[in-house]
């Protein structure tokens, strides 16, 4: 059933509104308007020559009586229309029927779209499927307060639509469950149509009913499952039990040798079906009666039984005798009225018609089940198992499925037909519920089919084939693995092979087996097997495409994430990346730790919307952009602002494209081990959690910024917090807080996260495991990125800083102080290079840094960092000085004698820094004057 649409803003005017209306409804309105139908009141033609005793009415009336009674007390009307859209019967309370009369919806009225416009009945008869028309979707004004739902009535033999049943209810009282009840009623009408399928069967039914009246038998109402007769209460039947009894009754009627059958039911009951020959004029058929007994020997008394040669207990049937009315005109013989008093009539029919009806219904049911059960997961192995489970036992006793090895690996299948020597692997084998706990050999093993075998013919031709399997001929043969001999058993069996073909390629092979030769596969079976295999192949190919894309996405994402976190003295780091389950696919969660100048570190966690390759590629693009911006030593809020600006720029504004990173979230934090402060800003991201020594874990209160790419809704802001040494900072993506496919109780999950952090031990890896195990005991439904950082302070004895007035005379004093500090740290081997760096940087600060003071700071760690600060925001840059210029070579020298250098900006001024790596074992020689000048010579 289609969902109920949202009513449009338009009222009941003549103008056709399009908002909130389904396309098929809108098209129907346009057709109705072109026909010139008056929306205020249509003139419906009335058919006066209706057959009140038609087969459709006789089948539907009892069912629709019960349907109307089910909605007793509600203003509901029920109408039955034939295949030409004529109302042939209707049900409703007096008020409802009066309203139907006012709308000309009387018996015989034609409600086709040509006369009435858009209606549920006309949509059903045109689409051949259930349909719901909600209030405003009606074409006629006087129906807009109603919701009308209709379902087709199908003939079980052939599946033709014989009519439709419409259920109308005030729009405010409509419930989608009503449509399900209606559809169930139409299915019951179809079952009754099977009982009334031919006039010959009607005569046979009447013949049996006359005999039943004399013998006291009763009828089994398949529509309601109720058994009615004079006497005690009859047994109740479930819908599945009714279906089993009906199918077995059809088989008995079609059989020429069977006279009885037993059907096990729930609760240790057994239904005993008896077949009785019927003759009426030139009609020959059979009736099936059912009685019930308890398999444990208690409960409803059963028929007298005898022991058959094979050891089975079978009921003793009454010998038919000629009834008193057997010589009546038109009747040659009738069943004897005597028999068990607890027998109920189940079905009357002719062998040919019953067999065709059973087979047609079984095929349709099997295909319908395949459409709903195949491909429920994007897993090739599970899809193959589903195909086998669907086919057993209704179509086969055993099913095996083999797939091409390259297909299982996610690769493209070989083009065209397959050669017999293609590499295959068995992925499923199923022989029914009895084999569920039995280990079936051969699964997950390679298989091969020599040329000339039916499997090889199937693969070569790409068409279903059938053959006989003689297991005795396969014993000891090199090709004994062609058929699962152990599962089939001894004898001659029937085999049907169907290729799994999709999009012009053969992906594998499905083999169907029927034990023995009593039911050999026929031409119709080939068609059905081909359809089942084709549906399974589409699902297998979809799973193959998904597997390949999922693997590529995961590989791309893992390659774009940090392969190893940097080892830093300021922080200890640990991380986790947990990809989503196979249904959600790879997402765009990421994390990073970026070393910055001054022993600082940038910690980043982000989340890109979407899944798949595009999300992984977008994540890689954002991570690269963040690393680039971090290298500029920008403030956290500036990094997010630049990211937002980058994403907001549409790739091609002329086509209105939106950057796939739009809506991404990011948390960017910078920790300074000298000041022991952390400055962070976030763009739509969950705040970080903080655990300081001796305190409870808490969330850091950060200003909330909008997700990236929304065009600067508001500026990003940062906040700074003091972090005592050994504090634990945890950054994560929202997948850690999600429950199932939504957020669930986010506050509760946040509380669990903080509680798990409070119980944290000293090892960061153990903390990662504790957090993920607590909040994600199973596979996460969304990607999760987790980054833990335990911060440390740089000892005071490793920091030296001075502040000087802005004067050229301070350069010599800065060098002297630096030399003395290096001697105190035992790093005198860096005297020359560091003195050169300090001289150049301090000179530049005095010359270009404005009137403010000049700051000098030395940081000692695994490297030596020299920082010079001033009050100017001008950016230093390297340039090649001309031959006649005296300046312009300072930064060039700094770059030559240091590992790296750069500048970072503060709210007021800048800091230029340079880093050196001490190498005491190989002291660098002091270059002479000529060597220094040679550095500036042009090559050549």
């Amino acid at each position: 059933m289609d969902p109920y649409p949202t009513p449009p803003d338009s009222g009941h005017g003549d103008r056709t509104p399009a908002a909130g209306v389904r396309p098929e409804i809108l098209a129907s309105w346009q057709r109705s308007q072109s026909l010139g139908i008056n929306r205020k009141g249509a003139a419906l033609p009335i058919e006066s020559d209706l057959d009140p005793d038609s087969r459709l009415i006789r089948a539907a009336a009892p069912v629709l009586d019960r349907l109307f009674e089910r909605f007793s007390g509600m203003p509901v009307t029920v109408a039955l229309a034939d295949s030409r859209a004529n109302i042939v019967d209707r049900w409703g309370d007096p008020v409802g029927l009066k309203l139907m009369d006012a709308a000309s919806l009387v018996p015989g009225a034609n409600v086709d779209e040509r006369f009435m416009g858009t209606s549920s009945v006309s949509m059903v008869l045109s689409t051949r499927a259930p349909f719901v028309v909600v209030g405003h979707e009606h074409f006629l004004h006087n129906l807009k307060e109603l919701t009308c739902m209709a379902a087709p009535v199908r003939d079980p033999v052939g599946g033709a639509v014989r009519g439709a049943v419409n259920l109308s209810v005030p729009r405010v009282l409509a419930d989608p469950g009503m449509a399900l009840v209606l559809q169930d009623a139409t299915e019951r009408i179809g079952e009754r149509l099977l009982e009334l399928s031919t006039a010959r069967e009607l005569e046979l039914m009447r013949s049996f009913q006359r005999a039943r009246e004399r013998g006291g038998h009763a009828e089994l109402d398949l529509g309601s499952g109720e058994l009615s007769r004079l006497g005690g209460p009859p047994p109740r039947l479930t819908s599945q039990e009714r279906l089993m009894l009906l199918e077995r009754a059809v088989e008995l009627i079609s059989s020429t040798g069977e006279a009885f059958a037993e059907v096990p039911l729930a609760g240790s009951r057994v239904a005993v079906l008896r077949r009785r020959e019927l003759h009426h004029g030139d009609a020959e058929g059979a009736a099936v009666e059912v009685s019930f007994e308890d398999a444990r020997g208690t409960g409803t008394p059963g028929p007298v039984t005898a022991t058959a040669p094979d050891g089975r207990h079978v009921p003793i049937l009454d010998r038919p005798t000629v009834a008193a009315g057997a010589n009546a005109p038109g009747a040659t013989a009738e069943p004897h009225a005597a028999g068990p008093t607890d027998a109920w009539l189940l079905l009357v029919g002719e062998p040919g018609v019953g067999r065709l009806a059973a087979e047609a219904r079984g095929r349709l049911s099997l295909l319908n089940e395949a459409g709903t059960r195949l491909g429920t997961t994007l897993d090739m192995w599970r899809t193959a198992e589903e195909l086998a489970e669907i086919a057993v036992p209704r179509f086969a006793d055993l099913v095996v499925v083999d797939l091409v090895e390259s297909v299982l690996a996610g690769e493209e299948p070989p083009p065209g037909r397959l050669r017999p020597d293609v590499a295959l692997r068995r992925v499923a084998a199923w022989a029914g519920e009895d084999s569920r706990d039995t280990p079936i050999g051969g699964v997950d093993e390679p298989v091969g089919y020599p040329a000339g075998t039916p499997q090889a013919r199937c693969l070569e031709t790409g068409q279903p084939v059938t053959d006989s399997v003689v297991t005795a001929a396969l014993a000891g043969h090199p090709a004994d693995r062609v058929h699962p001999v152990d599962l089939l058993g001894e004898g001659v069996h029937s085999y049907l092979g169907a290729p799994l073909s999709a999009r012009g390629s053969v992906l594998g092979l499905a083999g169907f087996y029927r034990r023995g030769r009593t039911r050999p596969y026929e031409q119709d079976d080939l068609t059905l097997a081909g359809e089942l295999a084709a549906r399974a192949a589409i699902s297998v190919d979809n799973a193959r495409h998904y597997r390949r894309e999922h693997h590529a996405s995961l590989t791309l994402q893992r390659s774009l994430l940090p392969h190893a976190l940097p080892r830093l003295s300021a922080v200890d780091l640990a991380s986790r990346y947990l990809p989503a389950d196979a249904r959600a696919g790879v997402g765009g969660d990421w994390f990073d730790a970026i070393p910055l100048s001054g022993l600082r570190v940038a910690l980043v966690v982000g989340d890109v919307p979407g899944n798949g390759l595009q999300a992984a590629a977008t994540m890689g693009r954002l991570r690269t952009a963040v690393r680039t911006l971090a290298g500029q030593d920008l403030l956290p809020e500036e990094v997010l602002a630049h990211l937002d600006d980058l994403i907001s720029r549409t790739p091609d504004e002329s086509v209105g494209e939106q950057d796939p990173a739009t809506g991404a979230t990011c948390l960017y934090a910078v920790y300074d081990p000298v000041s022991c402060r952390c400055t962070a800003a976030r763009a739509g991201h969950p705040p970080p959690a903080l655990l300081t020594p001796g305190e409870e874990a808490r969330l850091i209160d950060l200003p909330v910024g909008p997700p990236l790419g929304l065009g600067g809704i508001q500026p990003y802001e940062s906040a700074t917090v003091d972090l005592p040494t050994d504090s634990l900072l945890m950054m994560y993506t929202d997948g850690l807080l999600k429950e199932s496919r939504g957020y669930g109780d986010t506050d509760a999950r946040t509380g669990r996260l903080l509680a798990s952090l409070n119980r944290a031990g000293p090892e960061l890896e153990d903390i990662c495991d504790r957090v993920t195990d607590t909040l994600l005991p199973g596979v996460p439904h969304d990607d999760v990125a987790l980054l833990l950082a335990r911060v440390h302070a740089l000892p005071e004895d490793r920091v030296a800083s001075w502040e000087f007035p802005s004067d050229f005379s301070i350069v010599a004093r800065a060098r002297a102080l630096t030399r003395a500090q290096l001697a105190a740290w035992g790093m005198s081997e860096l005297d020359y290079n560091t003195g050169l760096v300090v001289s150049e940087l301090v000179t530049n600060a005095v010359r270009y840094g404005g009137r403010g003071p000049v700051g000098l700071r030395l940081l000692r760690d695994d490297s030596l960092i020299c920082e010079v600060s001033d009050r100017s925001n001008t950016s230093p840059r390297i340039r090649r000085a001309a031959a006649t210029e005296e300046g312009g070579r300072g930064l060039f020298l700094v770059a030559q004698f240091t590992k790296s250098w750069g500048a970072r900006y503060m709210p007021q001024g800048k800091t230029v820094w340079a880093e050196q790596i001490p190498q005491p074992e190989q002291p660098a020689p002091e270059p002479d004057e000529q060597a220094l000048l040679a550095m500036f010579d042009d090559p050549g």
Side-chain angles (χ1 to χ4, degrees), residues 928-938:
D928 56 18
E929 180 181 338
Q930 295 299 323
L932 289 173
L933 294 176
M935 295 179 183
F936 298 96
D937 291 341
D938 293 330

Side-chain angles (χ1 to χ4, degrees), residues 270-327:
V270 176
V272 180
L273 279 63
R274 299 175 180 79
R275 180 179 186 271
R276 299 181 181 275
E277 298 292 337
L278 294 178
H279 302 278
H280 188 91
D282 59 349
E284 296 185 0
V288 176
E289 292 179 305
V290 59
S291 59
F292 301 90
E293 63 180 17
D294 195 317
R296 295 169 299 187
T298 61
T300 305
V304 180
T305 61
T307 302
D310 58 1
R312 291 182 304 152
H313 292 283
V314 297
I316 300 177
L317 300 181
D318 299 323
R319 294 184 180 180
T321 59
V322 178
N327 297 326

